């Protein structure tokens, strides 16, 4: 019924995840650049590869500002993950909390995170547009 369906998966691997990921067009993996987060992401990528689930994985750094210059932390994370960081979502806890507390969409409260999420939506639509065969007439 919908062009895009987002499934928020748990942080740990559970039995039913394989069937969800197997049907996915892409896996957007939200991480921070801390060592434990990067290690956990690497484990998940390895698990997907071992199960021969050939879903494209895009890494999104969450709650961190993208530095103007490539930092050592960023380079090390990309090296460990064997892929570039695809997108960044900046920290904006005040506005995120306001959206949650008010029961409003993030774009309704504005801010840097709302802008970054809007840009991410455009990027997702551009890269993972539904195929012509699956589009409704």
């Amino acid at each position: 019924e919908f062009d895009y369906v987002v499934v928020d998966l748990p942080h740990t691997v559970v039995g039913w995840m394989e069937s969800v990921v197997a049907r996915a067009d892409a896996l957007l993996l939200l991480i921070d650049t801390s060592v434990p987060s990067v290690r956990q992401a690497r484990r998940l990528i390895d698990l997907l590869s071992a199960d021969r689930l050939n879903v494209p994985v895009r890494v999104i750094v969450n709650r961190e500002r993208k530095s103007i210059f490539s930092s050592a932390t960023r380079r090390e994370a990309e090296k460990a993950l064997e892929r570039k960081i695809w997108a960044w979502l900046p920290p904006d806890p005040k506005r995120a909390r306001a959206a949650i507390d008010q029961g409003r969409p993030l774009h309704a409260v504005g801010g840097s995170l709302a802008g970054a999420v809007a840009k991410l939506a455009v990027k997702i639509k551009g890269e993972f547009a539904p195929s012509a065969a699956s589009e409704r007439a």
Side-chain angles (χ1 to χ4, degrees), residues 18-131:
E18 184 178 351
S19 62
V20 173
V21 173
R23 291 188 171 128
D25 293 319
L27 180 66
L28 305 179
L29 191 56
L30 272 70
I31 68 166
D32 59 51
T33 56
S34 69
V35 171
S37 182
V38 171
R39 282 184 180 159
Q40 183 65 14
R42 180 75 246 175
R43 280 190 217 102
L44 181 58
I45 291 167
D46 290 344
L47 182 66
L48 294 173
S49 296
D51 286 345
R52 293 187 180 93
L53 296 173
N54 295 324
V55 60
V57 177
R58 301 294 183 265
V59 176
I60 301 170
V61 173
N62 191 26
R63 288 182 255 148
E64 292 183 22
R65 294 209 181 278
K66 181 179 180 182
S67 60
I68 296 171
F69 304 104
S70 181
S71 68
T73 303
R74 177 181 177 178
R75 287 189 302 273
E76 288 299 315
E78 289 176 337
K79 181 179 175 184
L81 297 170
E82 297 179 351
R83 57 194 21 100
K84 295 284 185 190
I85 294 172
W86 192 64
W88 293 76
L89 297 175
D92 195 353
K94 185 177 178 181
R95 294 246 171 77
R97 181 61 184 252
I100 292 167
D101 289 346
Q102 297 169 20
R104 298 171 62 198
L106 189 58
H107 70 82
V109 296
S112 61
L113 179 58
V117 169
K119 287 179 185 175
L120 179 59
V122 170
K123 191 171 185 174
I124 290 168
K125 186 175 180 182
E127 186 162 337
F128 302 109
S131 67

Side-chain angles (χ1 to χ4, degrees), residues 2-13:
F2 302 99
D3 290 337
Y4 299 93
V5 176
V6 176
V7 180
D8 186 7
L9 298 173
H11 290 248
T12 57
V13 176

